[in-house]
Amino acid sequence: MKTSDFFYELPKELIAQEPLSDRSASRLMTLNKITGEIMHKHFYDIIDELSEGDTLILNDTKVLPARLYGVKEETGAAIEFLLLHKHTLNEWEVILRPGRKAKPGARFVFGNGELKAEILDVINDGNRLVRFEYDGVFEEVLDRLGEMPLPPYITKKLEDKNRYQTVYAKNPGSAAAPTAGLHFTNELLSKIKAKGINIGYVTLHVGLGTFRPVKTEDILEHKMHSEFYVLPQDVADLVNETKKKGKRVIAVGTTATRVLETAGMNGMPLKEATGWTDIFIYPGKEFHVIDALITNFHLPESTLVMLVSALAGRENVLRAYEEAVKEKYRFFSFGDAMYIY
């Protein structure tokens, strides 16, 4: 199977540059994975697509304001840090721009000196391991000094940091938002619960690898990035009970899907699990856990388009995307949503 099999034409003007003022007012395309039938709705209509006893699984990761702008202590030269992974309490793997000459021992200053960093080592792909120095709580310092690491296709400055967070974001650690969840409001979630639909939360810290293009012609030669996840026992129990009753498990986003399907590789019933996943889901792969998926519209030739194609069929998905372009849906992180059932 070739990467080019998952290409579609997308006019640049359809890439959403900012969120709608009302999260749940985005458009919603529904796609029947069996018949290929497409319908056009709004996201707040999602409640009508869910039945009593169904279970929604959401990713409660919280995006770190992980882009820092500072200067080299010795020369005053400008530097940009992008935080990737926490190794220990004060040590992080980061991307530096420009970073080619930044060697171990180099020191950098951010803000009015309330945050400092020293390079410890050069590691994977030229990234750096750095140690931060600060007073107080690191997340609070980061919240004051950092900016949201928006995807490269969003060029407009985000005025409100919270609009790149889900309303239920809880566990800090992501370099990107689980964007399918951005459409939910607290009011909509309350209505969903009142209808008798279960809600469970998993955590998967989204890495920048989610935007990494597939550069191999044969998709099987593509190496997936790893992301840290947590599936709590109570959520595993909820999924098991839902399945036992013959009801549906609906993942909110490809990240929640990756958690559930990683755990599902060990067979059912699910058990609590924590670790790193590099699961790659593409057409031909079997789904063990999820029955339906709420997701956004993804980049051409991306692993995420491959994942939704595995669920609904490549032809159905590409036809749906063609319809979305024709109907001028908004694409990618701040764009509209799709419900595959």
Side-chain angles (χ1 to χ4, degrees):
M1 202 171 294
K2 295 181 179 178
T3 300
S4 56
D5 292 337
F6 299 90
F7 178 78
Y8 67 92
E9 294 283 353
L10 179 68
K12 275 190 175 179
E13 62 268 21
L14 295 185
I15 300 174
Q17 292 296 312
E18 57 188 347
L20 298 179
S21 56
D22 179 357
R23 290 174 182 261
S24 65
S26 60
R27 295 168 78 184
L28 175 70
M29 174 186 284
T30 66
L31 172 63
N32 186 308
K33 63 188 178 187
I34 307 300
T35 66
E37 181 185 12
I38 292 169
M39 296 190 71
H40 304 287
K41 303 186 178 188
H42 287 92
F43 193 80
Y44 47 70
D45 297 318
I46 192 67
I47 192 167
D48 300 326
E49 304 295 319
L50 308 174
S51 303
E52 183 179 351
D54 285 345
T55 291
L56 275 183
I57 301 295
L58 299 91
N59 181 7
D60 65 5
T61 188
K62 190 172 186 178
V63 185
L64 293 168
R67 182 167 274 129
L68 290 163
Y69 295 97
V71 296
K72 192 170 184 179
E73 195 171 65
E74 189 179 320
T75 64
I79 192 76
E80 175 189 338
F81 273 33
L82 187 59
L83 278 60
L84 295 180
H85 301 300
K86 180 162 70 172
H87 285 227
T88 65
L89 181 63
N90 297 321
E91 295 179 4
W92 285 75
E93 180 178 342
V94 304
I95 296 173
L96 272 66
R97 296 192 183 99
R100 283 185 305 159
K101 296 180 181 178
K103 297 177 180 178
R107 293 180 58 82
F108 301 90
V109 181
F110 304 90
N112 295 317
E114 61 178 306
L115 181 65
K116 296 182 179 181
E118 179 180 344
I119 295 181
L120 301 179
D121 198 5
V122 180
I123 52 177
N124 309 324
D125 301 323
N127 298 343
R128 267 56 172 182
L129 181 66
V130 306
R131 181 191 295 120
F132 286 105
E133 302 164 13
Y134 54 90
D135 291 324
V137 179
F138 182 69
E139 281 74 17
E140 293 176 359
V141 175
L142 198 59
D143 199 48
R144 287 194 296 274
L145 300 180
E147 294 186 7
M148 284 299 187
L150 294 178
Y153 48 75
I154 295 177
T155 57
K156 189 166 184 177
K157 184 176 173 62
L158 182 64
E159 297 301 326
D160 179 2
K161 284 182 183 178
N162 288 325
R163 292 311 310 273
Y164 196 56
Q165 300 279 22
T166 62
V167 296
Y168 47 82
K170 178 182 176 185
N171 295 310
S174 271
T179 54
L182 294 178
H183 303 282
F184 286 94
T185 62
N186 286 317
E187 180 185 12
L188 181 56
L189 288 169
S190 295
K191 288 180 179 178
I192 287 170
K193 287 180 186 173
K195 190 176 176 179
I197 295 144
N198 306 301
I199 296 178
Y201 296 94
V202 298
T203 304
L204 183 138
H205 293 320
V206 189
L208 289 177
T210 195
F211 304 116
R212 185 183 298 156
V214 179
K215 294 182 178 178
T216 59
E217 184 178 2
D218 183 345
I219 67 170
L220 298 183
E221 294 175 4
H222 176 69
K223 180 170 171 45
M224 285 291 287
H225 57 288
S226 289
E227 294 168 318
F228 182 77
Y229 75 96
V230 179
L231 170 65
Q233 184 62 52
D234 64 325
V235 178
D237 292 340
L238 177 59
V239 169
N240 295 334
E241 189 64 22
T242 303
K243 291 292 207 181
K244 188 176 175 183
K245 291 179 177 176
K247 299 296 185 177
R248 299 179 304 162
V249 174
I250 298 137
V252 177
T254 57
T255 59
T257 300
R258 284 163 59 80
V259 173
L260 294 172
E261 294 302 323
T262 296
M265 286 192 298
N266 296 322
M268 300 294 284
L270 292 187
K271 297 175 183 176
E272 66 178 332
T274 300
W276 293 82
T277 179
D278 61 357
I279 190 172
F280 185 12
I281 302 173
Y282 52 85
K285 288 281 188 177
E286 186 179 345
F287 286 84
H288 300 283
V289 183
I290 75 163
D291 301 293
L293 171 66
I294 296 168
T295 189
N296 279 20
F297 291 90
H298 304 293
L299 278 73
E301 301 184 334
S302 65
T303 59
L304 304 182
V305 165
M306 295 170 193
L307 185 153
V308 297
S309 295
L311 184 63
R314 186 180 71 91
E315 293 79 8
N316 284 342
V317 167
L318 291 180
R319 187 168 61 250
Y321 273 52
E322 186 179 338
E323 176 84 358
V325 169
K326 178 183 162 191
E327 295 295 325
K328 293 187 170 12
Y329 272 65
R330 302 165 75 247
F331 278 69
F332 306 162
S333 297
F334 287 140
D336 295 316
M338 175 185 271
Y339 173 57
I340 301 173
Y341 64 98

